[in-house]
């Protein structure tokens, strides 16, 4: 009789029960997690530096290489196009071989791209080097998030993602005033040679010290394409998720809207419209990047504080659209007001960390690598599209290698604000996944 009851209870169990990782000895777990977080932040710091580096160098690159705004838009955007295209194969590699091997080897590509960027002087060569950097940096955040999916419970995923985004985001700060100062000292070619060497060291340390899972937790060894886990079936399961399609538009333009300004057009705007010099422009962008770092940590905690991911993200995206519209319409203002406006831009632009936690809540751990990289394809594909299209808008409105008129920036920035508002409207139809409804841990 007892066996029959047990069998009936077994049949009632959910097919995919919530997954929790076993917790090892507290001291060992803490030390391992600290080491993991440190290297995850460092890998993401490098990615942030490379992706934002063209922004502060933009006026110098345009004048020295005689680049048009459209060409500069391509040079900035090609990083994100290559980054996006690498996401789908990257997800398969992360799920199959684990973050340690995948992250270490892919970072070597970023180092090679940095060395080549310092070597080439022709536009086509610089374009290819930026593309290689983009593909190499594609693993910086995704590898960390796949690690966290196996090291920490789902309800703490947003906090950990926010920590890596906030601390690793200092790479964006390095790509502002520090990059301008270093470029004036050793030249931008020397800077990229040095960063390439640092990237190689980080890749080696990552390979030697990172563990894919805590002690006693087996890594997923299912053969990709085998009977138990087919690549196509996994992607079809991801595509069949209803809420995914209401979230992809805000992923496509949310981070892209911020990066179009912080990573590319912020410095030219501050020169052409606000009349700021090199150091003042670098300081304004530094304030933006620093505010973004703080915002990542705050938004990472906000989902558990307010017990909602969706509505906190909605507020952040609405704030981003509003501040971009204000920047688009404001006349020349004092330096302190530029610092305030761009600081708010960075702070609210960090809302996208909540989208990562929202996506994580949609999928089981066996699909996390493919799901996060699939959505990140749209994330960084949107950066490429927005940087390129804003460059086209600036060129069509009178922009040249020497600069663009204020009305050109007004048109381009208002376009970004409008698409952000439309994406937010689509996101309203996605269901909220509250942290309190998940297994505590």
């Amino acid at each position: 009789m007892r066996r029959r009851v047990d069998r009936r209870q077994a049949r009632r169990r959910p097919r995919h029960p919530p997954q929790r990782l076993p917790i090892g000895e507290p001291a060992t777990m803490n030390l391992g997690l600290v080491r993991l977080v440190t290297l995850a932040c460092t890998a993401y710091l490098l990615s942030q530096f490379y992706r934002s580096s063209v922004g502060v160098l933009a006026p110098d690159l345009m004048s020295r290489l005689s680049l048009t705004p459209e060409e500069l838009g391509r040079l900035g955007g090609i990083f994100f196009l290559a980054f996006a295209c690498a996401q789908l194969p990257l997800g398969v590699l992360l799920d199959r071989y684990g973050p340690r091997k995948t992250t270490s080897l892919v970072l070597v590509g970023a180092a090679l791209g940095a060395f080549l960027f310092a070597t080439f002087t022709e536009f086509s060569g610089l374009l290819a080097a930026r593309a290689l950097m983009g593909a190499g940096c594609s693993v910086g955040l995704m590898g960390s998030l796949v690690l966290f999916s196996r090291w920490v419970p789902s309800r703490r995923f947003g906090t950990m993602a926010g920590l890596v985004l906030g601390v690793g985001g200092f790479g964006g700060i390095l790509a502002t005033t520090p990059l301008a100062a270093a470029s004036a000292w050793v030249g931008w070619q020397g800077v990229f040679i040095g960063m390439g060497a640092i990237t190689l060291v980080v890749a080696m340390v990552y390979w030697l010290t990172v563990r894919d899972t805590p002690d006693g937790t087996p890594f997923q060894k299912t053969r990709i394409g085998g009977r138990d886990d087919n690549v196509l079936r996994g992607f079809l399961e991801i595509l069949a998720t209803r809420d995914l399609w209401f979230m992809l538009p805000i992923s496509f333009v949310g981070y892209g809207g911020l990066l179009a300004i912080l990573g590319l057009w912020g410095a030219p705007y501050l020169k052409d419209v606000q009349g700021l010099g090199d150091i003042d422009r670098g300081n304004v962008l530094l304030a933006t990047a620093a505010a973004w770092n703080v915002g990542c940590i705050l938004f990472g905690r906000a989902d558990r504080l307010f017990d909602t991911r969706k509505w906190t993200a909605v507020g952040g995206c609405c704030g981003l659209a509003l501040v971009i519209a204000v920047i688009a319409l404001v006349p020349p203002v004092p330096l302190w007001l530029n610092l305030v406006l761009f600081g708010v831009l960075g702070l609210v632009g960090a809302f996208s960390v909540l989208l990562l936690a929202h996506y994580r809540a949609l999928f089981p751990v066996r699909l996390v690598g493919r799901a996060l990289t699939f959505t990140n394809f749209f994330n960084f594909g949107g950066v490429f599209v927005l940087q390129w299209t804003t460059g086209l808008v600036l060129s069509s409105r009178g922009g040249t290698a020497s600069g663009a008129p204020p009305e050109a920036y007004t048109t381009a920035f208002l376009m970004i604000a409008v698409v952000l508002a439309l994406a937010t409207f689509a996101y309203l139809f996605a269901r909220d996944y509250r942290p309190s409804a998940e297994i505590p841990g």
Side-chain angles (χ1 to χ4, degrees), residues 113-439:
F115 292 141
L116 293 176
F117 194 78
T119 304
F120 291 130
T121 56
E122 296 295 327
F123 176 70
S124 58
L126 293 173
L127 206 64
R130 279 284 291 175
L132 186 56
M133 273 191 278
C137 290
S138 63
V139 76
L141 179 61
M142 292 297 103
S144 302
L145 296 183
V146 174
L147 276 173
F148 291 148
S149 72
R150 291 168 170 84
W151 276 78
V152 299
S154 176
R155 67 189 296 267
R156 297 185 184 274
F157 186 83
T159 301
M160 298 302 296
L163 179 63
V164 171
L165 287 166
V167 177
F170 278 95
I173 293 179
L174 292 178
T176 56
T177 302
L179 174 58
S183 179
W185 180 38
V186 298
W188 57 267
Q189 294 93 340
V191 173
F192 278 94
I193 289 174
M195 291 302 295
I198 293 172
T199 305
L200 284 178
V201 172
V202 172
M204 181 179 65
V205 175
Y206 208 101
W207 177 278
L208 295 174
T209 63
V210 167
R211 295 198 312 270
D212 283 327
T213 58
D215 288 343
T217 306
F219 183 72
Q220 176 177 313
K221 292 296 184 181
T222 303
R223 182 171 67 87
I224 296 295
R227 182 174 60 86
D228 295 327
D229 186 17
N230 180 272
V231 173
L232 179 60
R233 185 167 63 243
F235 277 118
L236 289 177
E237 187 174 344
I238 292 169
L239 294 176
T241 304
R242 168 196 176 272
D243 294 308
L244 175 73
W245 299 102
F246 294 115
M247 297 172 63
L248 288 179
I250 199 171
S251 289
F252 191 76
V253 299
Y255 188 54
L258 173 70
L259 261 289
I261 298 175
L262 175 58
L264 189 62
W265 298 116
Y269 163 86
L270 292 169
K271 176 179 76 73
D272 297 338
V273 178
Q274 299 297 333
L276 299 184
D278 291 348
I279 299 301
D280 285 339
R281 291 199 304 268
N283 287 335
V284 171
L285 295 179
L286 187 151
T288 311
W292 185 84
N293 294 348
V294 174
C296 284
I297 296 173
L298 294 178
F299 276 111
R301 299 281 297 176
D303 65 339
R304 294 171 63 193
L305 178 64
F306 299 111
D307 196 28
T308 174
R309 291 170 179 136
K310 172 182 172 179
W311 295 109
T312 311
V314 166
C317 193
C318 288
L320 180 61
L322 179 61
V323 72
I324 290 176
V326 171
I327 291 172
L329 298 172
V330 73
V333 295
L335 174 61
W336 69 267
L337 190 51
N338 276 299
L339 289 167
V340 171
L341 287 174
F342 276 74
V344 174
L345 173 77
L347 188 68
V348 296
F351 81 91
S352 55
V353 66
L354 289 173
L355 300 180
L356 295 173
H358 200 161
Y359 283 126
R360 169 64 187 92
L362 293 180
F363 302 102
V365 69
R366 63 184 173 81
L367 292 176
V368 164
R370 278 163 284 179
L372 290 180
T373 52
F374 175 77
T375 58
N376 213 31
F377 169 82
F378 290 88
N379 201 23
F380 283 87
V383 177
F384 166 74
V385 170
L386 284 178
Q387 289 195 347
W388 180 46
T389 53
T390 48
L392 290 175
V393 169
L394 290 169
S395 292
S396 68
R397 298 281 288 170
T400 65
S402 59
E407 57 268 22
Y409 290 101
T410 298
T411 303
F413 288 4
L414 285 178
M415 178 191 74
I416 296 173
V418 169
V419 296
L420 282 167
L422 293 174
T424 305
F425 177 75
Y427 185 53
L428 294 177
F429 294 93
R431 289 172 292 190
D432 198 3
Y433 288 78
R434 299 182 181 276
S436 62
E438 296 169 2
I439 296 177

Side-chain angles (χ1 to χ4, degrees), residues 100-116:
R100 181 182 71 89
K101 294 178 181 178
T102 304
T103 301
S104 303
L105 296 176
V106 173
L107 280 178
V108 174
L112 180 59
F115 292 141
L116 293 176

Side-chain angles (χ1 to χ4, degrees), residues 83-93 235 369-370 373-375 377:
F83 194 112
C85 291
Q87 292 302 300
L88 298 185
L90 178 65
V92 176
L93 293 174
F235 277 118
R370 278 163 284 179
T373 52
F374 175 77
T375 58
F377 169 82

Side-chain angles (χ1 to χ4, degrees), residues 65-77:
L65 302 177
S66 299
L67 301 180
T68 66
E70 188 273 333
E71 288 174 327
L72 181 66
R74 269 195 288 158
L75 185 62

